Amino acid sequence: MLRTLKRTTTAIAFAAMPTLAAAQELIVLDWSGFEDPGFIGAYIKEHGGPPNYSFFGEEEEAFQKLRAGFEVDVAHPCSQSVSKWQLAGLIEPLDTSRIDRWDDVNEVKEAFVIDGDYYMLPTDWGTTSLVYRTDLVNASKMDSLQAFLDPEFAGRVSLPNNVDDVYALGLLATGVTDWSDVTQEQFEAASAWLRQAHSNVVTYWADNAELAQLMTTGEVALAWAWNETPTTLIGEGIPVASNREAAEGSSSWFCGYVNVVDGPNSEDLMYDFLNAWMEPATADYIVEAWGYGSGNQTQMASLGSGVLDSVGLGEVSAPVLAQGPLDNKMREQMIVEFEKIKAGF
């Protein structure tokens, strides 16, 4: 509760500041929660307040908004969407010479080079793994992702309402640990597995707050969840645990900010915003307050393995499916199929 309250009260305090008008020219299309002022302290200090935010719940929603002409300067997709957005003409290259700590940026940045240009600044990352209530399930059954298919947990499972995370689960559960070249056969096997899991699902969670509530009440005993969930709930005294070393493994993801084509406002503000995200203080904050990792690789290394292990970001011996860029045609298949699975088909 303290962690959530800290975020909420800090955001309210900044929202109440009377000097925000000058800072509201920059428009950011973002995930709910990422308006947290702790991420952009340097920007707020320089401009008197945060930028203007508009929110989306899933990347396909953000994509469709931009395609429809919704005007923003900066957006926050994850790695799988970058090439799709670039092919659609929605984003343009970053000028890396204007990113002050470019040399400190995580090496995953090389995955976002298209025709010699960088299209995303990776700012935040995390892991997705099996998370469970220790008082409601037998921990001995939590050593495999096949637990999601166990009839014992019917109506007590929650999976993410996110095509990338859910297919990372389906692929891992069917023996795929690298999705950079998924075959049609592997996709169909993962889809069939997810259909089986669907029969146990009580709900597909949309964000950490929703899942945290479901696990706090005990309505959900087993989930495929971002590492923020166990970090937050353990801090609140809820008996949960995560297992990133299930036999089939876990997943990892990277998200970041992109330069939207023809943004209505100054790119100077955009680069001030991006540079604020790369500040060491931001890296410390996102780890300590949210349990996520920062794209500032240098600062992350300085935190030490003990800190990273404590929030579910440390090294593991089990397989890790990295949610890197994904073939666009395959991802479109996943989007369509996931909607069918959720509808019971």
Side-chain angles (χ1 to χ4, degrees):
M1 181 60 70
L2 178 61
R3 190 183 308 274
T4 303
L5 183 62
K6 178 181 177 182
R7 294 183 202 160
T8 304
T9 53
T10 304
I12 291 172
F14 273 98
M17 290 176 63
T19 57
L20 299 189
Q24 301 239 343
E25 296 174 5
L26 187 72
I27 305 172
V28 182
L29 183 59
D30 218 325
W31 303 90
S32 178
F34 278 86
E35 73 277 18
D36 188 327
F39 297 142
I40 52 167
Y43 182 97
I44 291 170
K45 182 177 181 181
E46 182 173 356
H47 296 287
N52 228 354
Y53 285 91
S54 181
F55 301 105
F56 61 89
E58 206 277 331
E59 286 163 271
E60 189 64 16
E61 175 192 346
F63 177 75
Q64 295 301 336
K65 276 188 174 183
L66 294 177
R67 285 189 68 185
F70 190 67
E71 290 193 342
V72 303
D73 301 294
V74 188
H76 192 179
C78 296
S79 58
Q80 306 87 320
S81 294
V82 175
S83 62
K84 176 179 177 177
W85 290 24
Q86 189 270 340
L87 283 171
L90 299 179
I91 58 176
E92 56 190 356
L94 295 169
D95 181 352
T96 60
S97 70
R98 301 185 66 181
I99 299 173
D100 298 339
R101 299 179 185 275
W102 184 250
D103 289 343
D104 295 324
V105 177
N106 193 292
E107 61 192 14
V108 75
K109 64 190 177 187
E110 301 303 326
F112 309 114
V113 176
I114 302 173
D115 296 332
D117 291 313
Y118 289 88
Y119 277 83
M120 187 175 86
L121 173 67
T123 54
D124 51 292
W125 63 276
T127 58
T128 312
S129 64
L130 189 157
V131 176
Y132 59 96
R133 279 282 300 257
T134 58
D135 58 334
L136 299 179
V137 305
N138 185 337
S140 67
K141 292 190 173 185
M142 297 296 108
D143 60 356
S144 169
L145 301 184
Q146 306 311 317
F148 288 109
L149 306 185
D150 191 330
E152 178 183 342
F153 305 120
R156 303 169 69 195
V157 167
S158 187
L159 301 181
N161 190 16
N162 178 296
V163 67
D164 303 304
D165 275 314
V166 85
Y167 265 95
L169 170 61
L171 289 166
L172 279 166
T174 52
V176 178
T177 59
D178 179 357
W179 74 4
S180 61
D181 189 22
V182 176
T183 67
Q184 188 65 27
E185 182 180 8
Q186 290 170 330
F187 162 71
E188 290 173 2
S191 298
W193 189 93
L194 290 170
R195 278 190 170 81
Q196 285 185 269
H198 175 77
S199 63
N200 281 352
V201 172
V202 63
T203 189
Y204 290 88
W205 59 267
D207 56 44
N208 180 69
E210 178 185 4
L211 179 58
Q213 180 64 24
L214 291 167
M215 298 202 79
T216 296
T217 62
E219 182 177 356
V220 166
L222 176 62
W224 183 242
W226 300 329
N227 58 294
E228 179 190 0
T229 299
T231 300
T232 301
L233 292 181
I234 290 170
E236 295 174 357
I238 307 301
V240 300
S242 63
N243 186 5
R244 291 180 60 209
E245 299 208 28
E248 301 88 348
S250 62
S251 184
S252 66
W253 47 264
F254 238 113
C255 303
Y257 288 94
V258 294
N259 182 7
V260 177
V261 167
D262 296 329
N265 299 299
S266 169
E267 286 203 343
D268 292 339
L269 289 173
M270 181 190 74
Y271 284 105
D272 289 345
F273 177 82
L274 298 181
N275 282 320
W277 261 96
M278 287 296 105
E279 286 288 318
T282 298
D284 294 345
Y285 181 76
I286 197 170
V287 172
E288 294 168 4
W290 284 64
Y292 290 153
S294 164
N296 184 331
Q297 187 168 270
T298 302
Q299 187 64 15
M300 287 295 293
S302 75
L303 296 177
S305 60
V307 171
L308 300 185
D309 288 341
S310 71
V311 294
L313 297 175
E315 297 290 332
V316 292
S317 58
V320 176
L321 188 155
Q323 295 182 35
L326 181 62
D327 177 78
N328 286 324
K329 290 182 180 179
M330 177 55 69
R331 190 166 188 271
E332 289 302 312
Q333 281 195 78
M334 290 176 176
I335 291 170
V336 172
E337 201 66 17
F338 186 37
E339 290 304 313
K340 292 179 182 177
I341 291 168
K342 288 188 294 181
F345 297 106

